[in-house]
PDB file of all heavy atoms in Angstrom:
ATOM      1  N   LEU A  66     -15.116 -77.092 -74.271  1.00 98.00           N
ATOM      2  CA  LEU A  66     -15.545 -77.109 -72.877  1.00 98.00           C
ATOM      3  C   LEU A  66     -16.936 -77.718 -72.796  1.00 98.00           C
ATOM      4  O   LEU A  66     -17.702 -77.703 -73.770  1.00 98.00           O
ATOM      5  CB  LEU A  66     -15.584 -75.683 -72.318  1.00 98.00           C
ATOM      6  CG  LEU A  66     -14.256 -74.921 -72.237  1.00 98.00           C
ATOM      7  CD1 LEU A  66     -14.512 -73.477 -71.823  1.00 98.00           C
ATOM      8  CD2 LEU A  66     -13.282 -75.593 -71.279  1.00 98.00           C
ATOM      9  N   THR A  67     -17.284 -78.233 -71.633  1.00 97.00           N
ATOM     10  CA  THR A  67     -18.640 -78.740 -71.445  1.00 97.00           C
ATOM     11  C   THR A  67     -19.635 -77.577 -71.533  1.00 97.00           C
ATOM     12  O   THR A  67     -19.260 -76.395 -71.423  1.00 97.00           O
ATOM     13  CB  THR A  67     -18.787 -79.424 -70.080  1.00 97.00           C
ATOM     14  OG1 THR A  67     -18.618 -78.438 -69.052  1.00 97.00           O
ATOM     15  CG2 THR A  67     -17.757 -80.527 -69.906  1.00 97.00           C
ATOM     16  N   ARG A  68     -20.888 -77.917 -71.708  1.00 95.00           N
ATOM     17  CA  ARG A  68     -21.905 -76.860 -71.804  1.00 95.00           C
ATOM     18  C   ARG A  68     -21.961 -76.029 -70.522  1.00 95.00           C
ATOM     19  O   ARG A  68     -22.095 -74.804 -70.574  1.00 95.00           O
ATOM     20  CB  ARG A  68     -23.273 -77.484 -72.104  1.00 95.00           C
ATOM     21  CG  ARG A  68     -24.371 -76.453 -72.341  1.00 95.00           C
ATOM     22  CD  ARG A  68     -25.556 -77.068 -73.044  1.00 95.00           C
ATOM     23  NE  ARG A  68     -26.003 -78.305 -72.406  1.00 95.00           N
ATOM     24  CZ  ARG A  68     -26.955 -79.085 -72.890  1.00 95.00           C
ATOM     25  NH1 ARG A  68     -27.541 -78.783 -74.037  1.00 95.00           N
ATOM     26  NH2 ARG A  68     -27.321 -80.188 -72.252  1.00 95.00           N
ATOM     27  N   ALA A  69     -21.822 -76.696 -69.379  1.00 96.00           N
ATOM     28  CA  ALA A  69     -21.839 -75.959 -68.104  1.00 96.00           C
ATOM     29  C   ALA A  69     -20.655 -74.997 -68.016  1.00 96.00           C
ATOM     30  O   ALA A  69     -20.797 -73.859 -67.538  1.00 96.00           O
ATOM     31  CB  ALA A  69     -21.816 -76.939 -66.938  1.00 96.00           C
ATOM     32  N   GLU A  70     -19.489 -75.424 -68.486  1.00 97.00           N
ATOM     33  CA  GLU A  70     -18.310 -74.564 -68.454  1.00 97.00           C
ATOM     34  C   GLU A  70     -18.476 -73.375 -69.384  1.00 97.00           C
ATOM     35  O   GLU A  70     -18.070 -72.249 -69.059  1.00 97.00           O
ATOM     36  CB  GLU A  70     -17.071 -75.375 -68.829  1.00 97.00           C
ATOM     37  CG  GLU A  70     -16.645 -76.371 -67.760  1.00 97.00           C
ATOM     38  CD  GLU A  70     -15.597 -77.343 -68.236  1.00 97.00           C
ATOM     39  OE1 GLU A  70     -15.540 -77.635 -69.461  1.00 97.00           O
ATOM     40  OE2 GLU A  70     -14.825 -77.837 -67.395  1.00 97.00           O
ATOM     41  N   ARG A  71     -19.082 -73.593 -70.548  1.00 97.00           N
ATOM     42  CA  ARG A  71     -19.290 -72.481 -71.481  1.00 97.00           C
ATOM     43  C   ARG A  71     -20.358 -71.523 -70.961  1.00 97.00           C
ATOM     44  O   ARG A  71     -20.271 -70.307 -71.173  1.00 97.00           O
ATOM     45  CB  ARG A  71     -19.650 -73.012 -72.868  1.00 97.00           C
ATOM     46  CG  ARG A  71     -18.424 -73.522 -73.625  1.00 97.00           C
ATOM     47  CD  ARG A  71     -18.766 -74.045 -75.012  1.00 97.00           C
ATOM     48  NE  ARG A  71     -19.391 -75.353 -74.913  1.00 97.00           N
ATOM     49  CZ  ARG A  71     -20.619 -75.634 -75.310  1.00 97.00           C
ATOM     50  NH1 ARG A  71     -21.383 -74.703 -75.838  1.00 97.00           N
ATOM     51  NH2 ARG A  71     -21.095 -76.842 -75.183  1.00 97.00           N
ATOM     52  N   ARG A  72     -21.350 -72.052 -70.286  1.00 97.00           N
ATOM     53  CA  ARG A  72     -22.358 -71.177 -69.682  1.00 97.00           C
ATOM     54  C   ARG A  72     -21.736 -70.311 -68.587  1.00 97.00           C
ATOM     55  O   ARG A  72     -22.091 -69.135 -68.445  1.00 97.00           O
ATOM     56  CB  ARG A  72     -23.511 -72.015 -69.130  1.00 97.00           C
ATOM     57  CG  ARG A  72     -24.462 -72.527 -70.215  1.00 97.00           C
ATOM     58  CD  ARG A  72     -25.544 -73.405 -69.644  1.00 97.00           C
ATOM     59  NE  ARG A  72     -26.528 -73.767 -70.668  1.00 97.00           N
ATOM     60  CZ  ARG A  72     -27.451 -74.706 -70.517  1.00 97.00           C
ATOM     61  NH1 ARG A  72     -27.539 -75.369 -69.368  1.00 97.00           N
ATOM     62  NH2 ARG A  72     -28.297 -74.968 -71.502  1.00 97.00           N
ATOM     63  N   ALA A  73     -20.821 -70.882 -67.825  1.00 97.00           N
ATOM     64  CA  ALA A  73     -20.134 -70.096 -66.794  1.00 97.00           C
ATOM     65  C   ALA A  73     -19.284 -69.007 -67.433  1.00 97.00           C
ATOM     66  O   ALA A  73     -19.231 -67.867 -66.945  1.00 97.00           O
ATOM     67  CB  ALA A  73     -19.261 -71.017 -65.939  1.00 97.00           C
ATOM     68  N   LEU A  74     -18.628 -69.338 -68.552  1.00 98.00           N
ATOM     69  CA  LEU A  74     -17.831 -68.350 -69.277  1.00 98.00           C
ATOM     70  C   LEU A  74     -18.731 -67.240 -69.822  1.00 98.00           C
ATOM     71  O   LEU A  74     -18.385 -66.055 -69.766  1.00 98.00           O
ATOM     72  CB  LEU A  74     -17.087 -69.049 -70.422  1.00 98.00           C
ATOM     73  CG  LEU A  74     -15.964 -68.292 -71.125  1.00 98.00           C
ATOM     74  CD1 LEU A  74     -14.849 -67.935 -70.144  1.00 98.00           C
ATOM     75  CD2 LEU A  74     -15.405 -69.146 -72.269  1.00 98.00           C
ATOM     76  N   ALA A  75     -19.903 -67.635 -70.328  1.00 98.00           N
ATOM     77  CA  ALA A  75     -20.856 -66.650 -70.840  1.00 98.00           C
ATOM     78  C   ALA A  75     -21.355 -65.733 -69.725  1.00 98.00           C
ATOM     79  O   ALA A  75     -21.555 -64.530 -69.932  1.00 98.00           O
ATOM     80  CB  ALA A  75     -22.035 -67.362 -71.504  1.00 98.00           C
ATOM     81  N   ARG A  76     -21.508 -66.286 -68.539  1.00 98.00           N
ATOM     82  CA  ARG A  76     -21.973 -65.493 -67.391  1.00 98.00           C
ATOM     83  C   ARG A  76     -20.884 -64.551 -66.885  1.00 98.00           C
ATOM     84  O   ARG A  76     -21.146 -63.390 -66.583  1.00 98.00           O
ATOM     85  CB  ARG A  76     -22.411 -66.439 -66.275  1.00 98.00           C
ATOM     86  CG  ARG A  76     -22.931 -65.742 -65.020  1.00 98.00           C
ATOM     87  CD  ARG A  76     -23.024 -66.715 -63.855  1.00 98.00           C
ATOM     88  NE  ARG A  76     -21.701 -67.195 -63.441  1.00 98.00           N
ATOM     89  CZ  ARG A  76     -21.403 -68.489 -63.278  1.00 98.00           C
ATOM     90  NH1 ARG A  76     -22.303 -69.428 -63.488  1.00 98.00           N
ATOM     91  NH2 ARG A  76     -20.178 -68.822 -62.891  1.00 98.00           N
ATOM     92  N   ASP A  77     -19.657 -65.052 -66.827  1.00 98.00           N
ATOM     93  CA  ASP A  77     -18.581 -64.302 -66.184  1.00 98.00           C
ATOM     94  C   ASP A  77     -17.836 -63.354 -67.116  1.00 98.00           C
ATOM     95  O   ASP A  77     -17.246 -62.370 -66.652  1.00 98.00           O
ATOM     96  CB  ASP A  77     -17.571 -65.275 -65.568  1.00 98.00           C
ATOM     97  CG  ASP A  77     -18.182 -66.126 -64.462  1.00 98.00           C
ATOM     98  OD1 ASP A  77     -19.227 -65.728 -63.910  1.00 98.00           O
ATOM     99  OD2 ASP A  77     -17.617 -67.204 -64.171  1.00 98.00           O
ATOM    100  N   VAL A  78     -17.825 -63.660 -68.433  1.00 98.00           N
ATOM    101  CA  VAL A  78     -17.055 -62.841 -69.372  1.00 98.00           C
ATOM    102  C   VAL A  78     -17.955 -62.128 -70.370  1.00 98.00           C
ATOM    103  O   VAL A  78     -17.987 -60.893 -70.432  1.00 98.00           O
ATOM    104  CB  VAL A  78     -16.005 -63.691 -70.127  1.00 98.00           C
ATOM    105  CG1 VAL A  78     -15.203 -62.815 -71.102  1.00 98.00           C
ATOM    106  CG2 VAL A  78     -15.066 -64.386 -69.151  1.00 98.00           C
ATOM    107  N   HIS A  79     -18.718 -62.905 -71.164  1.00 98.00           N
ATOM    108  CA  HIS A  79     -19.621 -62.301 -72.150  1.00 98.00           C
ATOM    109  C   HIS A  79     -20.604 -63.365 -72.643  1.00 98.00           C
ATOM    110  O   HIS A  79     -20.202 -64.508 -72.867  1.00 98.00           O
ATOM    111  CB  HIS A  79     -18.850 -61.729 -73.339  1.00 98.00           C
ATOM    112  CG  HIS A  79     -19.667 -60.809 -74.194  1.00 98.00           C
ATOM    113  ND1 HIS A  79     -20.575 -61.279 -75.118  1.00 98.00           N
ATOM    114  CD2 HIS A  79     -19.726 -59.451 -74.243  1.00 98.00           C
ATOM    115  CE1 HIS A  79     -21.157 -60.254 -75.708  1.00 98.00           C
ATOM    116  NE2 HIS A  79     -20.668 -59.134 -75.187  1.00 98.00           N
ATOM    117  N   PRO A  80     -21.882 -63.002 -72.823  1.00 98.00           N
ATOM    118  CA  PRO A  80     -22.889 -63.977 -73.263  1.00 98.00           C
ATOM    119  C   PRO A  80     -22.558 -64.679 -74.578  1.00 98.00           C
ATOM    120  O   PRO A  80     -23.026 -65.803 -74.812  1.00 98.00           O
ATOM    121  CB  PRO A  80     -24.160 -63.120 -73.401  1.00 98.00           C
ATOM    122  CG  PRO A  80     -23.953 -61.986 -72.461  1.00 98.00           C
ATOM    123  CD  PRO A  80     -22.486 -61.684 -72.499  1.00 98.00           C
ATOM    124  N   PHE A  82     -20.058 -66.190 -75.385  1.00 97.00           N
ATOM    125  CA  PHE A  82     -19.273 -67.406 -75.178  1.00 97.00           C
ATOM    126  C   PHE A  82     -20.136 -68.647 -74.965  1.00 97.00           C
ATOM    127  O   PHE A  82     -19.596 -69.753 -74.872  1.00 97.00           O
ATOM    128  CB  PHE A  82     -18.303 -67.239 -74.019  1.00 97.00           C
ATOM    129  CG  PHE A  82     -17.014 -66.589 -74.416  1.00 97.00           C
ATOM    130  CD1 PHE A  82     -16.653 -65.361 -73.891  1.00 97.00           C
ATOM    131  CD2 PHE A  82     -16.174 -67.198 -75.335  1.00 97.00           C
ATOM    132  CE1 PHE A  82     -15.461 -64.755 -74.269  1.00 97.00           C
ATOM    133  CE2 PHE A  82     -14.985 -66.593 -75.719  1.00 97.00           C
ATOM    134  CZ  PHE A  82     -14.629 -65.375 -75.193  1.00 97.00           C
ATOM    135  N   GLU A  83     -21.430 -68.495 -74.923  1.00 94.00           N
ATOM    136  CA  GLU A  83     -22.267 -69.694 -74.874  1.00 94.00           C
ATOM    137  C   GLU A  83     -22.228 -70.429 -76.207  1.00 94.00           C
ATOM    138  O   GLU A  83     -22.511 -71.626 -76.276  1.00 94.00           O
ATOM    139  CB  GLU A  83     -23.708 -69.340 -74.490  1.00 94.00           C
ATOM    140  CG  GLU A  83     -24.518 -70.562 -74.106  1.00 94.00           C
ATOM    141  CD  GLU A  83     -25.714 -70.250 -73.225  1.00 94.00           C
ATOM    142  OE1 GLU A  83     -25.766 -69.154 -72.646  1.00 94.00           O
ATOM    143  OE2 GLU A  83     -26.579 -71.108 -73.109  1.00 94.00           O
ATOM    144  N   THR A  84     -21.871 -69.732 -77.288  1.00 95.00           N
ATOM    145  CA  THR A  84     -21.725 -70.364 -78.605  1.00 95.00           C
ATOM    146  C   THR A  84     -20.327 -70.935 -78.733  1.00 95.00           C
ATOM    147  O   THR A  84     -19.332 -70.224 -78.594  1.00 95.00           O
ATOM    148  CB  THR A  84     -21.974 -69.342 -79.728  1.00 95.00           C
ATOM    149  OG1 THR A  84     -23.313 -68.841 -79.618  1.00 95.00           O
ATOM    150  CG2 THR A  84     -21.788 -69.980 -81.100  1.00 95.00           C
ATOM    151  N   ALA A 121     -26.112 -82.608 -79.263  1.00 93.00           N
ATOM    152  CA  ALA A 121     -26.456 -82.353 -77.859  1.00 93.00           C
ATOM    153  C   ALA A 121     -25.709 -81.149 -77.300  1.00 93.00           C
ATOM    154  O   ALA A 121     -26.004 -80.700 -76.196  1.00 93.00           O
ATOM    155  CB  ALA A 121     -26.147 -83.584 -77.016  1.00 93.00           C
ATOM    156  N   ASP A 122     -24.728 -80.642 -78.071  1.00 94.00           N
ATOM    157  CA  ASP A 122     -23.891 -79.520 -77.639  1.00 94.00           C
ATOM    158  C   ASP A 122     -23.213 -79.829 -76.317  1.00 94.00           C
ATOM    159  O   ASP A 122     -23.138 -78.996 -75.418  1.00 94.00           O
ATOM    160  CB  ASP A 122     -24.724 -78.237 -77.534  1.00 94.00           C
ATOM    161  CG  ASP A 122     -23.847 -76.982 -77.446  1.00 94.00           C
ATOM    162  OD1 ASP A 122     -22.712 -77.033 -77.953  1.00 94.00           O
ATOM    163  OD2 ASP A 122     -24.300 -75.977 -76.868  1.00 94.00           O
ATOM    164  N   GLU A 123     -22.677 -81.056 -76.225  1.00 97.00           N
ATOM    165  CA  GLU A 123     -22.089 -81.498 -74.959  1.00 97.00           C
ATOM    166  C   GLU A 123     -21.012 -82.545 -75.206  1.00 97.00           C
ATOM    167  O   GLU A 123     -21.091 -83.323 -76.160  1.00 97.00           O
ATOM    168  CB  GLU A 123     -23.185 -82.088 -74.060  1.00 97.00           C
ATOM    169  CG  GLU A 123     -22.729 -82.510 -72.677  1.00 97.00           C
ATOM    170  CD  GLU A 123     -22.213 -81.337 -71.857  1.00 97.00           C
ATOM    171  OE1 GLU A 123     -21.057 -80.931 -72.096  1.00 97.00           O
ATOM    172  OE2 GLU A 123     -22.957 -80.843 -70.983  1.00 97.00           O
TER     173      GLU A 123
END
Side-chain angles (χ1 to χ4, degrees):
L66 296 173
T67 65
R68 185 162 50 185
E70 289 169 332
R71 282 180 284 118
R72 283 177 174 168
L74 193 61
R76 180 194 66 230
D77 297 340
V78 180
H79 195 281
F82 275 116
E83 194 157 343
T84 299
D122 195 27
E123 184 63 281

